[in-house]
Amino acid sequence: ASSLLDVEATFKLLKGTSQLRTMCKRDGLGGGERIKKLATEMNQRLERLESTIEERERIVASLKQQQVDALKHLATAADAGRHASSGDNSDSGDDDRGDGDSRAVSTDDDDGDDDGSVAAPPQKTSGAAGLFDASKSLEEVLERFVQLNKDIRSRKEGVAQRWVVAVPAAQMNNRLRVVVSALAFGMLTDRAVLVQFKDGYYADLNDMFDQRFDMESTRHQVGGSRAPFTFSENDANVVSTMLCADFNDRSTPLGSADVVDMGPSPNMIPFFWRNTNHHAQLRQWFGAEEVIYSTLAKYFLRPSARVAEMQREFENKHLSGASYTLGMHLRFGNDFRGEVVSDAEWARWKECGEAIVPRRIKDDPALREKAVWFVAADTGESRAKAITTFAPWKVVTFGEEWLRSNNPPGVQAALVELLLLTKVDNRVLTPGSSYSEQAAALAGKPGYFVSVSPKQKRIPYAAKTEVSPQCFKVHSYQPSVARFVDVLKRARCFDLDMVSVAY
């Protein structure tokens, strides 16, 4: 919405300029008098544009404050819930405390933009947690989903043993996308969530996160009928299932299975959001598509005590007291791009960073000296190169030496760097990197992407604005889906409205 305000104001300015030229010709104004009148009117219109931008910033500031208030409310509610339930039969081994990394989002939907094309959510008869009660707030829905997972794990009488087992692949953030997608699917279908996270990877979920319930599948036994749910962008039947099927229809293999196996996938939430059977439910819970991934990731994947301690120590030492903080994620390793980064490309990254730093910081020597650039890189060579290339800006990196994330300490270090990228004022990111996209999602703020090399992955967001040569600000912060519109069109229930970001 903030981007649209800028676009609308700019359009009006350009349109007004054209009208002014016509008026000048009509009135016979010429020479210096015409230029003077044109300049005066342009200045007035620019002042109005600046006023519009200032109003946008006030709105954004107000929304951020509402978010802070909501987080405080969530923490208070969680404390109250613990005291109220201290005598019940819930699993006391799981820590359900609310903290500053959890996000409560209003579920009041009063934007009036329901076009009637979305089917009403089906009536739910299963699910002891009562997740589908329209009177429940989002925080209550999340808390009840936590309780449902505990009830299913404890084999509580009367609670159906229904599961979704996420089977991710590749590196950390590719895996986390599948975890978050499985959590959303579990909420929609009253299924407990398990993850084969450690299978083929270097660390356990417990090495990284303080889980609200234990998701590692190796510590739980499940049985019964099974159905696959694996993403395939070229399979029309699979895409149709994601967008058209009722996941709770017991007459289908997916709906009737005791266990759904969710294979490697991108962020599935954009598909769930556009699913004609489940859109209304997600909208009731979250209000907007953009916040779903960030909300679920921050609520269910809280940093472990060790990770949080390392993050806090670094922030206190290097980021606190800075006049401005800029984060850079450099994904330059051979496994990602297969070519050496040229000096010209390094220069573009620096130019992008400098374009983002506010003018008040750059123009004031004292403030400029206190600005900090935090760099997270996938190789030690890139990290060292960044320190020299980005001078004279103060560059800081995590850890005395770069660690490869092929063991638990290395994975923890990579997670700390990811979390630190969410704490800076702005981020310059690598196109096509799941790590970069995860940083933007957890920060809840769109990032800037540098796209220079012809072989480098393109920026997978349709809406973007160039702020310096080959440096683009995108207009979404949820993890992307490559060729998303092309994939949508393969569904048998495809509707052009699905292409809209405001669906």
Side-chain angles (χ1 to χ4, degrees):
S2 63
S3 301
L4 289 176
L5 281 174
D6 286 351
V7 171
E8 182 181 8
T10 304
F11 174 77
K12 289 180 178 179
L13 173 64
L14 296 174
K15 183 178 179 182
T17 303
S18 177
Q19 292 171 343
L20 184 60
R21 290 196 188 98
T22 302
M23 181 186 70
C24 289
K25 291 179 180 178
R26 182 194 64 207
D27 294 344
L29 298 175
E33 183 181 358
R34 177 180 177 183
I35 297 300
K36 182 178 180 181
K37 183 167 184 176
L38 177 62
T40 301
E41 182 65 16
M42 284 290 288
N43 284 334
Q44 292 173 349
R45 290 181 178 273
L46 284 171
E47 288 175 1
R48 288 195 288 273
L49 175 59
E50 290 173 354
S51 176
T52 301
I53 295 173
E54 289 174 1
E55 177 62 22
R56 178 205 67 182
E57 291 175 347
R58 284 194 292 272
I59 293 172
V60 171
S62 174
L63 290 173
K64 287 182 177 179
Q65 184 57 50
Q66 291 178 40
Q67 184 183 76
V68 171
D69 294 341
L71 291 174
K72 292 179 180 177
H73 176 65
L74 177 60
T76 302
D79 287 338
R82 285 202 309 279
H83 294 312
S85 62
S86 58
D88 67 14
N89 294 322
S90 62
D91 183 0
S92 61
D94 287 312
D95 180 5
D96 290 333
R97 67 180 180 275
D99 59 27
D101 276 337
S102 302
R103 174 179 294 179
V105 180
S106 170
T107 57
D108 292 336
D109 182 13
D110 57 2
D111 58 9
D113 115 16
D114 185 356
D115 60 5
S117 64
V118 180
Q123 295 297 316
K124 308 295 177 184
T125 57
S126 65
L131 299 184
F132 297 90
D133 185 341
S135 67
K136 302 301 181 185
S137 67
L138 176 57
E139 64 185 75
E140 290 176 301
V141 170
L142 295 173
E143 289 167 359
R144 285 170 179 261
F145 184 60
V146 170
Q147 189 59 51
L148 174 65
N149 273 268
K150 294 178 180 179
D151 290 344
I152 293 176
R153 282 162 169 74
S154 65
R155 305 301 199 266
K156 184 175 180 179
E157 185 178 355
V159 180
Q161 289 292 300
R162 288 168 62 80
W163 306 81
V164 54
V165 179
V167 189
Q171 298 304 311
M172 178 172 66
N173 289 288
N174 298 90
R175 292 171 178 267
L176 294 181
R177 287 187 310 199
V178 183
V179 174
V180 175
S181 297
L183 288 165
F185 185 84
M187 290 180 65
L188 287 170
T189 58
D190 280 2
R191 293 177 181 273
V193 177
L194 292 177
V195 185
Q196 292 182 13
F197 196 87
K198 194 174 181 180
D199 187 14
Y201 192 55
Y202 312 105
D204 190 295
L205 276 170
N206 284 337
D207 294 324
M208 306 160 65
F209 301 107
D210 174 16
Q211 303 178 71
R212 294 182 182 272
F213 47 82
D214 184 17
M215 288 188 275
E216 182 58 60
S217 65
T218 57
R219 292 188 283 270
H220 301 276
Q221 296 295 322
V222 298
S225 59
R226 305 183 83 104
F229 191 56
T230 301
F231 176 80
S232 175
E233 65 178 44
N234 296 315
D235 190 324
N237 290 326
V238 171
V239 178
S240 294
T241 297
M242 292 189 296
L243 287 170
C244 316
D246 179 355
F247 303 149
N248 296 298
D249 184 352
R250 297 298 181 97
S251 68
T252 65
L254 183 66
S256 62
D258 298 309
V259 182
V260 171
D261 295 299
M262 180 178 288
S265 69
N267 172 23
M268 299 283 276
I269 288 170
F271 296 101
F272 297 161
W273 178 260
R274 288 162 177 78
N275 182 291
T276 53
N277 295 284
H278 300 290
H279 169 81
Q281 183 64 79
L282 288 172
R283 185 174 178 181
Q284 175 194 315
W285 285 339
F286 296 95
E289 175 189 4
E290 187 77 1
V291 304
I292 299 176
Y293 187 97
S294 175
T295 300
L296 294 179
K298 296 177 77 170
Y299 185 85
F300 289 103
L301 299 174
R302 303 169 297 180
S304 68
R306 176 58 184 149
V307 169
E309 179 186 10
M310 291 190 288
Q311 174 192 342
R312 186 166 50 251
E313 289 177 353
F314 186 90
E315 282 188 67
N316 291 338
K317 183 176 180 179
H318 297 287
L319 304 183
S320 297
S323 61
Y324 185 82
T325 53
L326 179 71
M328 291 257 189
H329 174 233
L330 310 177
R331 184 72 163 93
F332 290 170
N334 291 333
D335 63 324
F336 183 73
R337 52 179 286 155
E339 61 180 344
V340 177
V341 183
S342 67
D343 290 340
E345 186 170 350
W346 276 105
R348 290 299 192 211
W349 277 79
K350 185 176 182 180
E351 289 172 5
C352 182
E354 291 180 331
I356 297 168
V357 176
R359 183 175 298 172
R360 64 179 180 82
I361 302 295
K362 290 185 286 192
D363 291 349
D364 186 326
L367 293 177
R368 183 185 176 103
E369 187 177 352
K370 293 179 66 177
V372 173
W373 289 22
F374 167 68
V375 170
D378 64 344
T379 68
E381 294 78 9
S382 295
R383 191 164 91 156
K385 176 78 171 177
I387 294 173
T388 58
T389 301
F390 298 152
W393 294 96
K394 179 181 179 181
V395 177
V396 296
T397 57
F398 176 74
E400 294 183 2
E401 60 180 0
W402 179 81
L403 295 179
R404 185 178 297 278
S405 54
N406 59 359
N407 53 65
V411 170
Q412 287 180 335
L415 179 57
V416 172
E417 289 185 311
L418 176 71
L419 295 173
L420 289 171
L421 283 171
T422 72
K423 300 301 182 181
V424 295
D425 293 313
N426 264 312
R427 282 147 293 279
V428 183
L429 305 170
T430 302
S433 165
S434 62
Y435 191 101
S436 278
E437 293 187 5
Q438 187 84 355
L442 295 180
K445 183 178 180 179
Y448 296 79
F449 289 84
V450 177
S451 183
V452 178
S453 168
K455 294 183 180 180
Q456 192 171 359
K457 299 177 186 295
R458 67 182 180 86
I459 299 175
Y461 293 93
K464 49 187 175 287
T465 302
E466 189 168 19
V467 298
S468 71
Q470 296 169 299
C471 168
F472 298 86
K473 180 176 183 178
V474 301
H475 300 293
S476 173
Y477 57 79
Q478 70 166 326
S480 67
V481 179
R483 298 173 293 279
F484 181 55
V485 175
D486 292 337
V487 176
L488 289 179
K489 290 178 180 178
R490 295 188 175 96
R492 61 177 177 270
C493 60
F494 172 73
D495 187 303
L496 278 173
D497 286 343
M498 291 180 177
V499 176
S500 171
V501 295
Y503 179 79

